[in-house]
Amino acid sequence: MDGGGDQSGQAQKQKGAISNIVIIIAMQSEALPLVDRFHLTEDPHSPFPQGVPWVRYHGSYKDLNINLIWPGKDPALGVDSVGTISSALVTYAAIQALHPDLIINAGTAGGFKAKGASVGDIFIISDCAFHDRRIPIPVFDLYGVGLRKAFETPNLVKELNLQVAKLSTGDSLDMTQQDESSIISNDATVKDMEGAAVAYVAELLKVPAIFVKAVTDIVDGDKPTAEEFLQNLAAVTAALDVAVEKVISFINGKSLSEL
Ligand code: SAH
């Protein structure tokens, strides 16, 4: 399109290098440090329907076009629009509007010490599933669990020395006993409120998706989750931020098959 595009840009394209990334982040406190780090700016002409709280920040970083999508604050209550519904909607809208080569869902999560997780750990997710969609009818049970594989990134994991684990998603911050047994059968090390929903939409629309999750609280520990979450949020978000920058720097100049 731009006939005079620079040499390295052309070479990148021929090689099939990833150029357009959508990062989906649920909470403002997780999103803003990355907006600063990548010098992103808020799109005044949002590609999203008028009146929705969804926010697109964008900019370029090295050879990449970065879009960070945050579902914004609930219009009635003013809190972050966390959870599966908002994250599925923004993932759908962002794919439709921005045609990314790759989606990255980054965020905080609860971790299970029984599976080796500690506060501050960063995980790349291999599999996502739901733990609060119980439909005890043959085949619907599997639909409810909604197991999906993340896009595999063996080189990224090795190079950045990251841990790989399974993620279980549900719409509650706390965990009932039934949730717990589903999480155990999902073999999950981390628990969040968005990942499997992003994975569902990404698979529907055939866009590869990867998940970077940072542990803010230990679910099978003795501290109340909400309290521990809030206590660790700032420090863990900073660690997440550093990890996401490393992931994006690794992705720069590479094709999907090189991840
Ligand atoms: N903003 C609220 C709480 C947000 S809900 C507050 O400040 O109190 C928690 C968010 O962090 C969700 O986006 C979820 O994906 C993630 N999260 C962190 N720990 C979690 C846990 N133990 N279980 C589920 N989600 C968790």
Side-chain angles (χ1 to χ4, degrees), residues 25-80:
I25 299 207
M27 293 177 52
Q28 189 173 41
S29 54
E30 298 162 341
L32 291 184
L34 281 170
V35 168
D36 282 348
R37 185 166 285 255
F38 292 116
H39 306 294
L40 306 179
T41 51
E42 187 172 340
D43 182 356
H45 312 286
S46 156
F48 303 132
Q50 216 184 348
V52 299
W54 313 339
V55 181
R56 171 193 182 218
Y57 297 97
H58 72 123
S60 31
Y61 178 79
K62 301 185 177 170
D63 299 321
L64 295 167
N65 178 24
I66 310 255
N67 301 278
L68 190 157
I69 312 297
W70 167 52
K73 301 276 185 189
D74 180 86
L77 300 171
V79 295
D80 286 315

Short mmCIF file of all heavy atoms in Angstrom, two decimals, residues 25-80:
data_model
loop_
_atom_site.label_atom_id
_atom_site.label_comp_id
_atom_site.label_asym_id
_atom_site.label_seq_id
_atom_site.Cartn_x
_atom_site.Cartn_y
_atom_site.Cartn_z
N ILE A 25 -6.87 -6.87 28.10
CA ILE A 25 -6.59 -6.74 29.54
C ILE A 25 -7.85 -6.27 30.27
O ILE A 25 -8.47 -5.29 29.87
CB ILE A 25 -5.45 -5.72 29.78
CG1 ILE A 25 -4.19 -6.23 29.09
CG2 ILE A 25 -5.24 -5.49 31.27
CD1 ILE A 25 -2.91 -5.76 29.69
N ALA A 26 -8.22 -6.98 31.34
CA ALA A 26 -9.51 -6.73 31.98
C ALA A 26 -9.54 -5.51 32.88
O ALA A 26 -10.55 -4.83 32.99
CB ALA A 26 -9.94 -7.96 32.78
N MET A 27 -8.43 -5.25 33.57
CA MET A 27 -8.48 -4.21 34.60
C MET A 27 -7.62 -3.01 34.25
O MET A 27 -6.52 -3.15 33.72
CB MET A 27 -8.02 -4.80 35.95
CG MET A 27 -9.00 -5.83 36.48
SD MET A 27 -8.44 -6.57 38.00
CE MET A 27 -8.10 -5.13 38.96
N GLN A 28 -8.10 -1.84 34.62
CA GLN A 28 -7.37 -0.61 34.34
C GLN A 28 -5.99 -0.62 34.99
O GLN A 28 -5.00 -0.20 34.39
CB GLN A 28 -8.17 0.59 34.85
CG GLN A 28 -7.59 1.92 34.42
CD GLN A 28 -8.50 3.06 34.79
OE1 GLN A 28 -9.07 3.10 35.88
NE2 GLN A 28 -8.65 4.00 33.87
N SER A 29 -5.94 -1.16 36.23
CA SER A 29 -4.65 -1.16 36.94
C SER A 29 -3.65 -2.10 36.27
O SER A 29 -2.45 -1.96 36.45
CB SER A 29 -4.84 -1.52 38.41
OG SER A 29 -5.53 -2.73 38.51
N GLU A 30 -4.14 -3.07 35.50
CA GLU A 30 -3.23 -3.93 34.74
C GLU A 30 -2.86 -3.27 33.41
O GLU A 30 -1.76 -3.46 32.89
CB GLU A 30 -3.90 -5.28 34.43
CG GLU A 30 -4.28 -6.11 35.64
CD GLU A 30 -5.31 -7.20 35.33
OE1 GLU A 30 -6.01 -7.14 34.29
OE2 GLU A 30 -5.43 -8.13 36.15
N ALA A 31 -3.81 -2.51 32.85
CA ALA A 31 -3.62 -1.96 31.50
C ALA A 31 -2.71 -0.73 31.49
O ALA A 31 -1.83 -0.62 30.63
CB ALA A 31 -4.98 -1.59 30.89
N LEU A 32 -2.89 0.18 32.45
CA LEU A 32 -2.19 1.47 32.37
C LEU A 32 -0.67 1.37 32.40
O LEU A 32 0.00 2.09 31.65
CB LEU A 32 -2.72 2.45 33.42
CG LEU A 32 -4.17 2.92 33.15
CD1 LEU A 32 -4.61 3.98 34.17
CD2 LEU A 32 -4.36 3.44 31.73
N PRO A 33 -0.09 0.48 33.22
CA PRO A 33 1.38 0.38 33.18
C PRO A 33 1.89 -0.02 31.78
O PRO A 33 2.95 0.45 31.34
CB PRO A 33 1.71 -0.72 34.19
CG PRO A 33 0.52 -0.79 35.09
CD PRO A 33 -0.66 -0.38 34.27
N LEU A 34 1.11 -0.84 31.07
CA LEU A 34 1.54 -1.25 29.72
C LEU A 34 1.33 -0.12 28.73
O LEU A 34 2.11 0.05 27.79
CB LEU A 34 0.78 -2.50 29.28
CG LEU A 34 1.33 -3.80 29.89
CD1 LEU A 34 0.39 -4.96 29.61
CD2 LEU A 34 2.72 -4.10 29.33
N VAL A 35 0.27 0.64 28.92
CA VAL A 35 0.03 1.81 28.07
C VAL A 35 1.24 2.74 28.17
O VAL A 35 1.76 3.23 27.16
CB VAL A 35 -1.28 2.52 28.50
CG1 VAL A 35 -1.40 3.89 27.84
CG2 VAL A 35 -2.49 1.64 28.17
N ASP A 36 1.73 2.95 29.40
CA ASP A 36 2.91 3.80 29.61
C ASP A 36 4.16 3.18 29.01
O ASP A 36 4.92 3.82 28.31
CB ASP A 36 3.18 3.98 31.11
CG ASP A 36 2.23 5.00 31.71
OD1 ASP A 36 1.56 5.70 30.93
OD2 ASP A 36 2.15 5.07 32.96
N ARG A 37 4.35 1.91 29.29
CA ARG A 37 5.57 1.23 28.86
C ARG A 37 5.73 1.26 27.34
O ARG A 37 6.83 1.45 26.83
CB ARG A 37 5.53 -0.22 29.35
CG ARG A 37 6.79 -1.01 29.07
CD ARG A 37 6.78 -2.30 29.86
NE ARG A 37 7.06 -2.03 31.25
CZ ARG A 37 8.23 -2.28 31.85
NH1 ARG A 37 9.22 -2.82 31.17
NH2 ARG A 37 8.40 -2.02 33.12
N PHE A 38 4.62 1.06 26.64
CA PHE A 38 4.69 1.03 25.17
C PHE A 38 4.34 2.38 24.54
O PHE A 38 4.20 2.47 23.33
CB PHE A 38 3.76 -0.06 24.61
CG PHE A 38 4.21 -1.47 24.95
CD1 PHE A 38 3.43 -2.28 25.75
CD2 PHE A 38 5.40 -1.96 24.45
CE1 PHE A 38 3.83 -3.57 26.06
CE2 PHE A 38 5.82 -3.25 24.76
CZ PHE A 38 5.04 -4.06 25.56
N HIS A 39 4.18 3.40 25.37
CA HIS A 39 3.80 4.74 24.89
C HIS A 39 2.57 4.68 23.98
O HIS A 39 2.58 5.24 22.87
CB HIS A 39 4.96 5.42 24.15
CG HIS A 39 6.21 5.47 24.96
ND1 HIS A 39 6.33 6.21 26.11
CD2 HIS A 39 7.40 4.81 24.83
CE1 HIS A 39 7.53 6.03 26.63
NE2 HIS A 39 8.20 5.17 25.88
N LEU A 40 1.55 3.99 24.43
CA LEU A 40 0.34 3.88 23.63
C LEU A 40 -0.55 5.10 23.89
O LEU A 40 -0.48 5.72 24.94
CB LEU A 40 -0.43 2.60 23.98
CG LEU A 40 0.37 1.30 23.90
CD1 LEU A 40 -0.50 0.10 24.31
CD2 LEU A 40 0.93 1.07 22.50
N THR A 41 -1.40 5.39 22.90
CA THR A 41 -2.34 6.50 23.11
C THR A 41 -3.76 5.99 22.88
O THR A 41 -3.99 5.06 22.10
CB THR A 41 -2.06 7.68 22.15
OG1 THR A 41 -1.98 7.15 20.82
CG2 THR A 41 -0.77 8.37 22.49
N GLU A 42 -4.69 6.62 23.57
CA GLU A 42 -6.08 6.21 23.44
C GLU A 42 -6.61 6.67 22.09
O GLU A 42 -6.35 7.79 21.66
CB GLU A 42 -6.91 6.82 24.58
CG GLU A 42 -8.32 6.29 24.58
CD GLU A 42 -9.13 6.72 25.81
OE1 GLU A 42 -8.52 7.09 26.84
OE2 GLU A 42 -10.36 6.67 25.72
N ASP A 43 -7.31 5.75 21.41
CA ASP A 43 -7.87 6.05 20.09
C ASP A 43 -9.11 6.93 20.27
O ASP A 43 -10.11 6.49 20.83
CB ASP A 43 -8.25 4.71 19.43
CG ASP A 43 -8.79 4.89 18.03
OD1 ASP A 43 -8.95 6.04 17.61
OD2 ASP A 43 -9.06 3.86 17.39
N PRO A 44 -9.05 8.19 19.79
CA PRO A 44 -10.22 9.05 19.97
C PRO A 44 -11.38 8.63 19.07
O PRO A 44 -12.53 8.94 19.35
CB PRO A 44 -9.70 10.44 19.59
CG PRO A 44 -8.52 10.20 18.71
CD PRO A 44 -7.96 8.84 19.05
N HIS A 45 -11.05 7.92 17.98
CA HIS A 45 -12.12 7.42 17.09
C HIS A 45 -12.18 5.92 17.27
O HIS A 45 -11.80 5.16 16.38
CB HIS A 45 -11.83 7.78 15.63
CG HIS A 45 -11.44 9.20 15.45
ND1 HIS A 45 -12.35 10.22 15.53
CD2 HIS A 45 -10.24 9.78 15.23
CE1 HIS A 45 -11.73 11.38 15.36
NE2 HIS A 45 -10.44 11.14 15.18
N SER A 46 -12.68 5.50 18.41
CA SER A 46 -12.71 4.08 18.74
C SER A 46 -13.45 3.30 17.66
O SER A 46 -14.45 3.77 17.13
CB SER A 46 -13.40 3.90 20.09
OG SER A 46 -13.93 2.61 20.19
N PRO A 47 -12.93 2.11 17.31
CA PRO A 47 -13.62 1.30 16.30
C PRO A 47 -14.86 0.60 16.87
O PRO A 47 -15.51 -0.15 16.17
CB PRO A 47 -12.56 0.27 15.91
CG PRO A 47 -11.71 0.11 17.13
CD PRO A 47 -11.72 1.45 17.83
N PHE A 48 -15.17 0.85 18.15
CA PHE A 48 -16.24 0.12 18.81
C PHE A 48 -17.55 0.91 18.75
O PHE A 48 -17.53 2.12 18.52
CB PHE A 48 -15.83 -0.18 20.26
CG PHE A 48 -14.55 -0.94 20.36
CD1 PHE A 48 -13.54 -0.55 21.22
CD2 PHE A 48 -14.34 -2.06 19.55
CE1 PHE A 48 -12.35 -1.26 21.29
CE2 PHE A 48 -13.14 -2.78 19.62
CZ PHE A 48 -12.15 -2.37 20.49
N PRO A 49 -18.69 0.21 18.98
CA PRO A 49 -19.98 0.92 18.89
C PRO A 49 -20.03 2.12 19.85
O PRO A 49 -19.43 2.08 20.93
CB PRO A 49 -21.00 -0.15 19.33
CG PRO A 49 -20.32 -1.46 19.08
CD PRO A 49 -18.86 -1.22 19.29
N GLN A 50 -20.74 3.13 19.43
CA GLN A 50 -20.85 4.35 20.23
C GLN A 50 -21.48 4.04 21.59
O GLN A 50 -22.46 3.28 21.65
CB GLN A 50 -21.71 5.35 19.49
CG GLN A 50 -21.23 6.75 19.70
CD GLN A 50 -22.15 7.77 19.04
OE1 GLN A 50 -23.02 7.42 18.24
NE2 GLN A 50 -21.97 9.02 19.39
N GLY A 51 -20.89 4.57 22.63
CA GLY A 51 -21.51 4.44 23.95
C GLY A 51 -20.98 3.30 24.79
O GLY A 51 -21.17 3.28 26.00
N VAL A 52 -20.28 2.32 24.16
CA VAL A 52 -19.71 1.23 24.98
C VAL A 52 -18.48 1.77 25.73
O VAL A 52 -17.83 2.70 25.25
CB VAL A 52 -19.33 -0.02 24.14
CG1 VAL A 52 -20.54 -0.60 23.44
CG2 VAL A 52 -18.22 0.30 23.15
N PRO A 53 -18.16 1.17 26.89
CA PRO A 53 -17.02 1.69 27.65
C PRO A 53 -15.67 1.17 27.17
O PRO A 53 -14.63 1.52 27.72
CB PRO A 53 -17.31 1.19 29.08
CG PRO A 53 -18.14 -0.03 28.91
CD PRO A 53 -18.94 0.16 27.64
N TRP A 54 -15.65 0.30 26.16
CA TRP A 54 -14.43 -0.35 25.71
C TRP A 54 -13.43 0.67 25.18
O TRP A 54 -13.79 1.58 24.43
CB TRP A 54 -14.74 -1.37 24.60
CG TRP A 54 -15.91 -2.26 24.92
CD1 TRP A 54 -16.43 -2.52 26.15
CD2 TRP A 54 -16.72 -2.97 23.97
NE1 TRP A 54 -17.51 -3.36 26.04
CE2 TRP A 54 -17.71 -3.66 24.71
CE3 TRP A 54 -16.69 -3.10 22.58
CZ2 TRP A 54 -18.67 -4.46 24.09
CZ3 TRP A 54 -17.65 -3.91 21.97
CH2 TRP A 54 -18.62 -4.58 22.72
N VAL A 55 -12.15 0.47 25.55
CA VAL A 55 -11.13 1.44 25.18
C VAL A 55 -10.04 0.75 24.35
O VAL A 55 -9.58 -0.35 24.69
CB VAL A 55 -10.48 2.06 26.44
CG1 VAL A 55 -9.43 3.09 26.05
CG2 VAL A 55 -11.54 2.71 27.33
N ARG A 56 -9.64 1.41 23.27
CA ARG A 56 -8.49 0.93 22.49
C ARG A 56 -7.34 1.92 22.68
O ARG A 56 -7.49 3.12 22.40
CB ARG A 56 -8.85 0.87 21.01
CG ARG A 56 -7.63 0.58 20.12
CD ARG A 56 -7.93 0.84 18.66
NE ARG A 56 -6.78 0.52 17.83
CZ ARG A 56 -6.42 1.23 16.76
NH1 ARG A 56 -7.12 2.28 16.38
NH2 ARG A 56 -5.36 0.87 16.05
N TYR A 57 -6.21 1.40 23.15
CA TYR A 57 -4.97 2.17 23.16
C TYR A 57 -4.11 1.60 22.03
O TYR A 57 -4.10 0.39 21.82
CB TYR A 57 -4.22 2.00 24.47
CG TYR A 57 -4.95 2.50 25.69
CD1 TYR A 57 -5.67 1.63 26.50
CD2 TYR A 57 -4.89 3.84 26.06
CE1 TYR A 57 -6.32 2.08 27.65
CE2 TYR A 57 -5.54 4.31 27.20
CZ TYR A 57 -6.25 3.41 27.99
OH TYR A 57 -6.90 3.86 29.12
N HIS A 58 -3.40 2.44 21.33
CA HIS A 58 -2.56 1.87 20.28
C HIS A 58 -1.28 2.66 20.06
O HIS A 58 -1.13 3.78 20.53
CB HIS A 58 -3.35 1.71 18.97
CG HIS A 58 -3.63 3.00 18.30
ND1 HIS A 58 -3.25 3.27 17.02
CD2 HIS A 58 -4.24 4.11 18.74
CE1 HIS A 58 -3.63 4.50 16.70
NE2 HIS A 58 -4.23 5.03 17.72
N GLY A 59 -0.37 2.01 19.33
CA GLY A 59 0.91 2.64 19.03
C GLY A 59 1.80 1.61 18.38
O GLY A 59 1.39 0.47 18.17
N SER A 60 3.03 2.03 18.02
CA SER A 60 3.92 1.00 17.49
C SER A 60 5.09 0.81 18.43
O SER A 60 5.48 1.71 19.18
CB SER A 60 4.40 1.32 16.07
OG SER A 60 4.48 2.68 15.89
N TYR A 61 5.56 -0.41 18.42
CA TYR A 61 6.68 -0.80 19.27
C TYR A 61 7.57 -1.68 18.41
O TYR A 61 7.13 -2.70 17.91
CB TYR A 61 6.16 -1.56 20.49
CG TYR A 61 7.25 -2.04 21.42
CD1 TYR A 61 7.85 -1.17 22.33
CD2 TYR A 61 7.67 -3.36 21.39
CE1 TYR A 61 8.85 -1.61 23.18
CE2 TYR A 61 8.67 -3.81 22.25
CZ TYR A 61 9.25 -2.93 23.14
OH TYR A 61 10.23 -3.37 23.98
N LYS A 62 8.82 -1.22 18.20
CA LYS A 62 9.70 -1.89 17.24
C LYS A 62 8.94 -2.02 15.92
O LYS A 62 8.40 -1.03 15.44
CB LYS A 62 10.22 -3.21 17.80
CG LYS A 62 10.99 -2.97 19.11
CD LYS A 62 11.64 -4.21 19.67
CE LYS A 62 12.43 -3.84 20.91
NZ LYS A 62 12.91 -4.99 21.65
N ASP A 63 8.81 -3.26 15.36
CA ASP A 63 8.10 -3.39 14.08
C ASP A 63 6.64 -3.76 14.26
O ASP A 63 5.99 -4.18 13.30
CB ASP A 63 8.78 -4.46 13.21
CG ASP A 63 10.21 -4.08 12.91
OD1 ASP A 63 10.48 -2.89 12.66
OD2 ASP A 63 11.08 -4.98 12.94
N LEU A 64 6.15 -3.67 15.47
CA LEU A 64 4.79 -4.16 15.74
C LEU A 64 3.79 -3.03 15.91
O LEU A 64 4.11 -1.98 16.47
CB LEU A 64 4.80 -5.00 17.03
CG LEU A 64 5.63 -6.28 16.97
CD1 LEU A 64 5.82 -6.84 18.38
CD2 LEU A 64 4.93 -7.30 16.07
N ASN A 65 2.59 -3.31 15.43
CA ASN A 65 1.47 -2.42 15.68
C ASN A 65 0.72 -3.00 16.89
O ASN A 65 0.23 -4.12 16.82
CB ASN A 65 0.61 -2.40 14.41
CG ASN A 65 -0.61 -1.54 14.58
OD1 ASN A 65 -0.63 -0.63 15.40
ND2 ASN A 65 -1.64 -1.84 13.82
N ILE A 66 0.71 -2.26 17.98
CA ILE A 66 0.15 -2.79 19.22
C ILE A 66 -1.20 -2.13 19.51
O ILE A 66 -1.31 -0.90 19.51
CB ILE A 66 1.07 -2.48 20.42
CG1 ILE A 66 2.49 -2.89 20.11
CG2 ILE A 66 0.50 -3.08 21.72
CD1 ILE A 66 2.98 -4.11 20.77
N ASN A 67 -2.20 -2.96 19.77
CA ASN A 67 -3.51 -2.47 20.23
C ASN A 67 -3.76 -3.08 21.59
O ASN A 67 -3.74 -4.31 21.73
CB ASN A 67 -4.62 -2.96 19.30
CG ASN A 67 -4.42 -2.50 17.89
OD1 ASN A 67 -4.75 -1.38 17.55
ND2 ASN A 67 -3.85 -3.37 17.05
N LEU A 68 -3.99 -2.23 22.58
CA LEU A 68 -4.33 -2.77 23.89
C LEU A 68 -5.81 -2.45 24.12
O LEU A 68 -6.22 -1.28 24.04
CB LEU A 68 -3.45 -2.13 24.96
CG LEU A 68 -3.53 -2.76 26.36
CD1 LEU A 68 -2.25 -2.46 27.14
CD2 LEU A 68 -4.72 -2.27 27.13
N ILE A 69 -6.59 -3.49 24.35
CA ILE A 69 -8.03 -3.30 24.51
C ILE A 69 -8.42 -3.58 25.95
O ILE A 69 -8.12 -4.65 26.50
CB ILE A 69 -8.83 -4.26 23.58
CG1 ILE A 69 -8.29 -4.22 22.14
CG2 ILE A 69 -10.32 -3.93 23.64
CD1 ILE A 69 -8.40 -2.91 21.43
N TRP A 70 -9.07 -2.60 26.54
CA TRP A 70 -9.55 -2.71 27.93
C TRP A 70 -11.07 -2.53 27.89
O TRP A 70 -11.54 -1.55 27.29
CB TRP A 70 -8.85 -1.62 28.76
CG TRP A 70 -9.43 -1.41 30.12
CD1 TRP A 70 -9.67 -2.36 31.07
CD2 TRP A 70 -9.89 -0.16 30.67
NE1 TRP A 70 -10.23 -1.78 32.18
CE2 TRP A 70 -10.38 -0.43 31.97
CE3 TRP A 70 -9.92 1.16 30.21
CZ2 TRP A 70 -10.90 0.55 32.79
CZ3 TRP A 70 -10.43 2.14 31.04
CH2 TRP A 70 -10.92 1.84 32.32
N PRO A 71 -11.84 -3.47 28.49
CA PRO A 71 -13.30 -3.35 28.40
C PRO A 71 -13.88 -2.15 29.15
O PRO A 71 -15.07 -1.88 29.04
CB PRO A 71 -13.83 -4.65 29.02
CG PRO A 71 -12.66 -5.50 29.30
CD PRO A 71 -11.41 -4.69 29.19
N GLY A 72 -13.03 -1.43 29.89
CA GLY A 72 -13.49 -0.18 30.51
C GLY A 72 -14.28 -0.41 31.78
O GLY A 72 -14.34 -1.51 32.32
N LYS A 73 -14.85 0.68 32.26
CA LYS A 73 -15.60 0.63 33.52
C LYS A 73 -17.06 0.35 33.25
O LYS A 73 -17.63 0.89 32.28
CB LYS A 73 -15.47 1.98 34.24
CG LYS A 73 -14.04 2.39 34.57
CD LYS A 73 -13.56 1.77 35.86
CE LYS A 73 -12.17 2.28 36.25
NZ LYS A 73 -11.61 1.55 37.38
N ASP A 74 -17.67 -0.43 34.11
CA ASP A 74 -19.10 -0.69 33.98
C ASP A 74 -19.84 0.64 33.99
O ASP A 74 -19.66 1.45 34.91
CB ASP A 74 -19.56 -1.57 35.15
CG ASP A 74 -21.04 -1.85 35.06
OD1 ASP A 74 -21.41 -2.82 34.37
OD2 ASP A 74 -21.84 -1.08 35.65
N PRO A 75 -20.70 0.87 32.99
CA PRO A 75 -21.34 2.19 32.88
C PRO A 75 -22.19 2.55 34.10
O PRO A 75 -22.29 3.71 34.45
CB PRO A 75 -22.22 2.06 31.63
CG PRO A 75 -21.65 0.92 30.86
CD PRO A 75 -21.02 -0.01 31.86
N ALA A 76 -22.78 1.56 34.74
CA ALA A 76 -23.64 1.87 35.88
C ALA A 76 -22.85 1.93 37.19
O ALA A 76 -23.13 2.76 38.04
CB ALA A 76 -24.75 0.82 35.99
N LEU A 77 -21.88 1.05 37.35
CA LEU A 77 -21.25 0.90 38.67
C LEU A 77 -19.84 1.47 38.76
O LEU A 77 -19.30 1.63 39.85
CB LEU A 77 -21.24 -0.59 39.06
CG LEU A 77 -22.64 -1.21 39.14
CD1 LEU A 77 -22.58 -2.73 39.31
CD2 LEU A 77 -23.44 -0.59 40.28
N GLY A 78 -19.23 1.74 37.62
CA GLY A 78 -17.92 2.40 37.63
C GLY A 78 -16.75 1.51 38.00
O GLY A 78 -15.64 2.00 38.23
N VAL A 79 -16.96 0.19 38.06
CA VAL A 79 -15.83 -0.72 38.33
C VAL A 79 -15.40 -1.37 37.02
O VAL A 79 -16.15 -1.38 36.04
CB VAL A 79 -16.21 -1.82 39.34
CG1 VAL A 79 -16.52 -1.21 40.70
CG2 VAL A 79 -17.39 -2.66 38.85
N ASP A 80 -14.18 -1.93 37.00
CA ASP A 80 -13.69 -2.60 35.80
C ASP A 80 -14.67 -3.68 35.34
O ASP A 80 -15.18 -4.45 36.16
CB ASP A 80 -12.35 -3.28 36.10
CG ASP A 80 -11.21 -2.29 36.21
OD1 ASP A 80 -11.11 -1.39 35.37
OD2 ASP A 80 -10.40 -2.43 37.16
#
